[in-house]
Amino acid sequence: MQPISVEQFKDDYIKKFEQLYAYNYKEGTQREKFSALGFLVKNYYMGDWKDTVDEYRDEKKKQMFYFSMEYLPGRMLRSNLLNLGLTEVVEEGLQELGLNLDNITLGEVDPALGNGGLGRLASCFMDSIASKGLPGHGNGIRYQYGLFKQKFIDGHQIELPENWLRNGNVWEVRKENKAVVIRFGGEVYMVPDDHGELHPHYHHTQNILAVPYDTAQVGYQNDTVNNLRLWAAEIPYGDEYLFRTEEDRDGVKQITEVLYPDDSSYEGRLLRLKQEYFLSSAGIQSIVRYYQTLNEDWSLFADKVAIHVNDTHPALAVPELMRLLLDDVRLTWDQAWEITKKTISYTNHTILQEAMEKWPIDMVKDLLPRIYQIIEEINRRYVEKKLPLYGEDLTYRTAIIGNGQIRMANLAIIGSHSVNGVARLHTTILINETLNDFYLIYPGKFNNKTNGITQRRWMQISNRGLTEMLDDVIGTSWKKEPDELVMLKAYKDDEKVLQRLEDVKIENKKRFASYVKDEMGIVIDPNAIFDVQIKRLHAYKRQLLNVLHILDRYLQIKDNPEIDMPKRVFIFGAKAAPSYHYAKQIIKLINAVAKMVNNDEEINDLIKVVFIENYGVSLAELIIPAADVSEQISLAGKEASGTSNMKLMANGALTMATMDGATVEIFESVGEGNIYIFGLGNDEVQEYYANGTYNSHDLYDNNPRLKRVLNLLIDGTIPDIQQEGADIFDSLVKFNDEYFLLKDFDSYIRAQYKLDEDFKDRTLWNQMALMNIAHAGRFSADYTIMRYAKEIWKIFPRGDMGRTFLPQ
Ligand code: 26Q
């Protein structure tokens, strides 16, 4: 876009506000002030949006479509301003109008259209794809209700509906002319035409309209604006008479009404299947329709289109693309199959068996009869081809249909040309264990793409103090080339730089402390260690191990109130799936421990526990810059990657971690002197599984310090957790501690006390923090996305015509 002056902006803003509300902006509410600014910013990028999309079409560029059931973009105002290069102009202009950008920012809702890491990754990727000038777009669902709002009542998690669209959404553009029809249910018959070719005839189907709402994905100061297309379910125009009862109409609305609030266990619910097909079909139909307008030969489809499925949730993209190529385009099976495989790629985000999607055959058959026929045929051909090569065992284990179910991972792997894990260790585990059967058959499909984060949101927007410091010390090149952060290493012994780093951290801690004071009434000391664990609540992530450490510390202080240890504030942010009873019990426990610790005068403020309600992207932006310690303590082998680990290191927090997920790569980058590693490694965990010798009761019996901590759960010390305390105690001691917390307890405590010592040495600590920031560039989503572009999608940055990817 053309640069604009402060004067011009002020004029535009006043006009925009009055056009919208017919009164002076000074009388506006925070939300109205935001809306006016949002609509204005949108005007500023509309031209680039059209130009970008036109260019892709006119130059017939290969484009990538990212299919994800979840997105967590966070508030978009500051990110759009930053990427348009408008932050300063707008800040100044607003100030001259007597307004404040930070205030106005709060008028925007943070769309929670995802559960956690997978959804946030999708949004980091959208930002990076646009920022690298890559032709790539998102497809998702426009849930009427996002992830529930979390409240604590008596320490229990309560879920409230999140009606994020109540006051409208300035960023979206409804594109009624691009709506498509999705068919559910009914019967399908294959009827021969005059030439004897079979075509599907549908009867009694329920037809639902998918209406796209597009949101611009603005690239970082490169005039690129891509598209995020979210689909909403509606009754087709003119079909209202078919949906006569309230129930009928509700059934339609329901499809895109609410996000499933679970990120770790599979539930075979019909509505979820409807959602998955709704997204897959709407997205694929719109791509195929677009391709038809290009008038290209179908054999070139995979040279013009790449489709990526974010976990198996949109894996019905495989049979849906087959369906359109067979039934509408009328290609042969072999032609359609080659195109489908060449077009689609798949990322796996989990190794937890309980999260693997499998749908009952009957459910798919009834809801999606034609899709079921196609899956059956894919499966039949697969078995026919592989049986003679691999024998019965391997063939049937890898088949798509088995045990009365459709295995979505198998469908995604067989129907695609690329399968990737999200961190090196994760990919290794997929290859050697979880998906080893497939690796034997398709070794060439497997590859690793370690996750990344966008430093724009997670440094430039959320940590402006650090950004200014970096600009002053190493210049601004890191903003376009995050690897340049390594230049900071040259200042490791520069006392002034180290002091400034500390000052920035303290400022961020004060900002967070004032939020905690205002919202929770808890006073925390900005000089204390801010020890942060922010992620979904799940047993494998071991928030409970963190609690055991807190309880141990509590006992140490009670034993010796004069003890010399730095103050610590334990900060948690976590939502539990509403149906995940054990995770909710842990939430209750943390809140009870917080109550006990925070109100015990003998503790003398040496430790405090703060459980932030309703953790999400916006709160992450407040917490992460204030963190000293990043807790990444999952049982080795369970966390596919983790991404809060990357955000926290980039903001100068030191990592306390097991060798799991991408943390292994963080360890390699920063070196062992700049990270705290403890606990079992994946190999040791696997060994325990293999020989079955783990015995948590022995650990309880033989470790007096641990025993004392565990007994706190059942001896009435912690207020109001009778049931929870007993259940959690049993899970750890009686039911053999599924995630080996007791085994890792000692080494965790030891690492924590080492950290205490280091924190007292301010120079050492600041040096370590600096080294973490210096090595964070490697984990930029910009690099991750360029590897996807080059190795999987084969798409090229705008204005590049392929040069970037030619051999150097
Ligand atoms: C599946 C079926 C039915 C209902 C819900 C689901 C479902 C929804 C979301 C299953 C899983 C998820 C989300 C998984 C997720 O967020 N995984 C995380 O992905 C991150 C990005 O790759 C990794 O960093 C994390 O390690 C991984 O846990």
Side-chain angles (χ1 to χ4, degrees):
M1 64 169 284
Q2 298 293 324
I4 60 161
S5 67
V6 173
E7 283 312 308
Q8 176 73 54
F9 166 74
K10 284 183 353 194
D11 259 22
D12 290 351
Y13 184 75
I14 293 170
K15 259 200 221 116
K16 176 56 77 184
F17 193 97
E18 291 177 4
Q19 273 172 5
L20 281 169
Y21 301 106
Y23 44 82
N24 186 272
Y25 71 89
K26 287 179 187 149
E27 296 170 48
T29 63
Q30 188 179 53
R31 189 163 46 72
E32 289 166 348
K33 287 172 186 157
F34 159 74
S35 292
L37 185 53
F39 281 119
L40 179 56
V41 170
K42 188 171 162 192
N43 283 352
Y44 289 152
Y45 63 60
M46 282 314 254
D48 285 344
W49 197 2
K50 178 171 184 304
D51 291 347
T52 306
V53 176
D54 284 353
E55 179 188 303
Y56 295 158
R57 167 189 292 272
D58 295 346
E59 296 183 11
K60 298 194 172 173
K61 289 203 143 189
K62 182 168 185 183
Q63 299 178 59
M64 187 281 295
F65 298 87
Y66 197 82
F67 280 56
S68 178
M69 289 282 283
E70 308 198 1
Y71 291 90
L72 286 169
R75 292 187 175 118
M76 284 174 263
L77 176 59
R78 267 201 180 271
S79 137
N80 285 338
L81 289 176
L82 174 74
N83 290 2
L84 291 169
L86 282 178
T87 310
E88 285 78 20
V89 168
V90 167
E91 245 165 8
E92 213 179 305
L94 289 174
Q95 202 171 12
E96 289 178 20
L97 294 175
L99 302 174
N100 171 281
L101 180 58
D102 281 325
N103 262 329
I104 290 182
T105 300
L106 300 176
E108 179 176 3
V109 284
D110 175 348
L113 308 183
N115 274 287
L118 168 147
R120 181 54 226 175
L121 184 77
S123 287
C124 277
F125 281 2
M126 287 298 117
D127 184 66
S128 286
I129 290 167
S131 295
K132 298 308 284 183
L134 288 164
H137 316 277
N139 261 292
I141 291 183
R142 182 175 177 271
Y143 301 104
Q144 194 78 34
Y145 293 88
L147 185 63
F148 64 85
K149 259 197 208 128
Q150 180 193 52
K151 282 236 170 274
F152 295 142
I153 294 183
D154 296 331
H156 294 284
Q157 168 176 293
I158 301 297
E159 300 95 24
L160 300 174
E162 165 66 340
N163 186 3
W164 72 292
L165 288 167
R166 181 172 16 222
N167 299 309
N169 172 6
V170 297
W171 306 115
E172 69 185 11
V173 181
R174 178 182 162 94
K175 301 249 171 89
E176 226 170 80
N177 61 334
K178 302 262 165 72
V180 298
V181 173
I182 316 288
R183 260 191 233 111
F184 288 111
E187 300 105 42
V188 61
Y189 304 97
M190 300 306 286
V191 180
D193 62 14
D194 296 347
H195 314 283
E197 279 178 38
L198 294 173
H199 298 290
H201 282 234
Y202 296 91
H203 295 279
H204 312 118
T205 58
Q206 190 180 48
N207 297 345
I208 288 175
L209 195 67
V211 181
Y213 287 73
D214 289 357
T215 298
Q217 303 294 296
V218 179
Y220 184 54
Q221 299 172 12
N222 65 355
D223 296 340
T224 297
V225 181
N226 291 332
N227 197 16
L228 172 62
R229 175 160 284 184
L230 301 181
W231 298 91
E234 292 183 14
I235 295 170
Y237 308 112
D239 278 6
E240 286 81 2
Y241 70 98
L242 292 171
F243 297 83
R244 257 173 294 214
T245 68
E246 188 79 21
E247 221 179 314
D248 288 343
R249 288 189 291 272
D250 277 355
V252 178
K253 266 196 292 175
Q254 254 182 33
I255 296 176
T256 54
E257 195 154 54
V258 59
L259 165 80
Y260 272 80
D262 201 328
D263 69 338
S264 55
S265 71
Y266 162 74
E267 240 191 296
R269 295 269 293 273
L270 181 64
L271 182 59
R272 170 80 184 183
L273 180 61
K274 281 189 188 170
Q275 289 187 335
E276 294 188 355
Y277 182 65
F278 179 82
L279 166 61
S280 306
S281 178
I284 299 286
Q285 285 193 59
S286 83
I287 293 167
V288 167
R289 201 181 45 191
Y290 172 77
Y291 190 78
Q292 273 159 339
T293 68
L294 293 180
N295 281 320
E296 285 283 350
D297 197 86
W298 286 94
S299 63
L300 295 177
F301 188 82
D303 298 319
K304 298 292 168 194
V305 173
I307 291 169
H308 197 85
V309 299
N310 196 23
D311 217 294
T312 57
H313 318 150
L316 291 174
V318 171
E320 179 67 2
L321 182 54
M322 284 297 288
R323 183 182 74 81
L324 292 171
L325 295 177
L326 291 168
D327 297 350
D328 291 9
V329 184
R330 305 204 175 177
L331 301 182
T332 66
W333 182 278
D334 289 334
Q335 288 169 329
W337 184 237
E338 279 315 304
I339 292 171
T340 299
K341 275 191 305 183
K342 243 179 115 183
T343 303
I344 294 179
S345 49
Y346 153 64
T347 296
N348 172 292
H349 294 266
T350 188
I351 40 198
L352 297 182
Q353 270 315 312
E354 63 266 32
M356 289 285 178
E357 286 192 291
K358 297 179 183 82
W359 293 103
I361 288 180
D362 288 342
M363 204 191 254
V364 177
K365 210 189 242 173
D366 290 349
L367 187 70
L368 311 166
R370 179 66 183 137
I371 289 298
Y372 180 70
Q373 288 179 346
I374 291 169
I375 294 175
E376 216 178 18
E377 182 63 10
I378 297 173
N379 187 61
R380 194 190 65 73
R381 289 174 182 244
Y382 175 80
V383 170
E384 183 178 79
K385 190 162 156 201
K386 302 300 176 190
L387 256 183
L389 296 170
Y390 299 100
E392 284 193 3
D393 285 1
L394 189 58
T395 302
Y396 287 118
R397 276 206 306 273
T398 52
I400 298 165
I401 303 178
N403 286 329
Q405 292 178 311
I406 296 173
R407 305 161 178 154
M408 298 298 271
N410 301 32
L411 175 63
I413 297 167
I414 291 169
S416 67
H417 66 279
S418 169
V419 178
N420 76 279
V422 290
R424 199 183 58 217
L425 175 65
H426 171 59
T427 302
T428 306
I429 293 173
L430 292 180
I431 286 177
N432 295 332
E433 295 160 38
T434 326
L435 300 180
N436 182 255
D437 284 344
F438 284 106
Y439 183 69
L440 297 173
I441 299 175
Y442 303 117
K445 284 192 189 185
F446 284 78
N447 64 93
N448 177 245
K449 295 286 169 283
T450 298
N451 283 165
I453 56 162
T454 168
Q455 272 76 8
R456 287 170 290 279
R457 179 171 296 269
W458 299 109
M459 296 178 81
Q460 291 201 61
I461 294 173
S462 57
N463 200 341
R464 300 205 288 276
L466 179 61
T467 300
E468 275 169 35
M469 177 195 137
L470 290 168
D471 289 352
D472 291 346
V473 176
I474 59 168
T476 57
S477 59
W478 64 278
K479 291 173 170 174
K480 287 231 162 182
E481 200 61 83
D483 261 343
E484 302 271 296
L485 286 167
V486 291
M487 286 199 279
L488 200 55
K489 281 167 77 170
Y491 299 87
K492 194 175 173 225
D493 297 308
D494 185 323
E495 279 171 32
K496 270 212 195 106
V497 169
L498 293 176
Q499 187 56 51
R500 180 148 175 211
L501 190 57
E502 178 164 330
D503 294 345
V504 165
K505 183 60 79 180
I506 288 282
E507 275 313 304
N508 292 333
K509 288 164 82 171
K510 284 184 181 158
R511 193 157 51 102
F512 174 67
S514 97
Y515 176 87
V516 171
K517 172 86 202 332
D518 294 346
E519 294 293 317
M520 310 175 70
I522 301 175
V523 176
I524 55 176
D525 180 353
N527 295 305
I529 301 174
F530 281 17
D531 180 330
V532 171
Q533 189 171 17
I534 39 174
K535 46 187 84 254
R536 282 299 284 258
L537 212 136
H538 200 291
Y540 83 79
K541 295 179 189 276
R542 302 200 297 189
Q543 279 94 351
L544 190 52
L545 182 59
N546 193 338
V547 175
L548 297 183
H549 169 230
I550 297 170
L551 291 174
D552 178 75
R553 215 162 254 251
Y554 176 75
L555 290 174
Q556 301 298 312
I557 301 168
K558 290 298 256 188
D559 288 352
N560 175 14
E562 304 301 307
I563 196 168
D564 173 37
M565 59 165 66
K567 285 187 180 176
R568 253 207 227 220
V569 182
F570 295 90
I571 297 152
F572 292 89
K575 287 181 180 177
S579 62
Y580 192 171
H581 181 64
Y582 186 63
K584 288 178 129 179
Q585 289 190 310
I586 293 170
I587 288 181
K588 169 70 190 170
L589 171 66
I590 298 172
N591 280 322
V593 170
K595 197 167 164 190
M596 173 180 84
V597 166
N598 297 346
N599 298 313
D600 186 332
E601 299 212 332
E602 262 176 28
I603 293 300
N604 201 16
D605 287 356
L606 278 180
I607 52 176
K608 289 251 158 137
V609 179
V610 175
F611 198 151
I612 304 291
E613 222 169 44
N614 202 34
Y615 174 67
V617 174
S618 291
L619 279 167
E621 289 176 41
L622 180 68
I623 299 168
I624 290 170
D628 295 305
V629 179
S630 160
E631 297 279 351
Q632 307 299 336
I633 59 178
S634 51
L635 175 66
K638 297 289 182 208
E639 189 69 90
S641 161
T643 42
S644 73
N645 47 1
M646 302 168 184
K647 294 163 197 166
L648 285 155
M649 92 181 281
N651 283 273
L654 271 81
T655 310
M656 166 65 64
T658 49
M659 283 292 229
D660 200 12
T663 309
V664 176
E665 290 157 74
I666 291 179
F667 166 81
E668 280 172 8
S669 293
V670 299
E672 62 178 345
N674 298 304
I675 190 167
Y676 299 90
I677 297 292
F678 72 96
L680 297 172
N682 178 49
D683 293 346
E684 293 162 296
V685 172
Q686 294 310 318
E687 228 174 275
Y688 270 119
Y689 286 147
N691 61 30
T693 54
Y694 186 71
N695 187 329
S696 69
H697 212 294
D698 282 355
L699 291 165
Y700 171 74
D701 287 333
N702 299 323
N703 182 341
R705 185 163 172 175
L706 173 60
K707 188 171 196 167
R708 224 180 131 201
V709 168
L710 290 169
N711 285 345
L712 291 179
L713 297 171
I714 47 172
D715 67 6
T717 307
I718 308 167
D720 193 28
I721 55 145
Q722 268 208 341
Q723 187 67 49
E724 293 86 0
D727 288 352
I728 292 169
F729 179 92
D730 285 350
S731 78
L732 295 176
V733 179
K734 253 203 208 158
F735 304 125
N736 212 25
D737 181 20
E738 188 178 354
Y739 296 105
F740 301 82
L741 281 76
L742 306 196
K743 180 72 193 168
D744 281 349
F745 176 79
D746 274 345
S747 61
Y748 184 49
I749 300 289
R750 239 179 289 125
Q752 291 286 15
Y753 280 88
K754 168 79 167 65
L755 185 151
D756 274 353
E757 286 315 302
D758 292 351
F759 189 79
K760 290 185 201 161
D761 182 342
R762 297 315 301 149
T763 305
L764 172 68
W765 187 271
N766 292 330
Q767 284 178 324
M768 293 194 294
L770 177 143
M771 290 297 278
N772 272 271
I773 299 166
H775 287 107
R778 168 174 169 191
F779 301 100
S780 167
D782 293 358
Y783 298 130
T784 307
I785 222 62
M786 286 307 277
R787 291 192 277 265
Y788 275 92
K790 189 174 174 175
E791 295 164 22
I792 301 178
W793 303 328
K794 319 280 189 217
I795 54 172
F796 301 96
R798 289 176 86 199
D800 181 287
M801 306 309 288
R803 281 189 298 277
T804 310
F805 297 154
L806 288 177
Q808 305 270 313

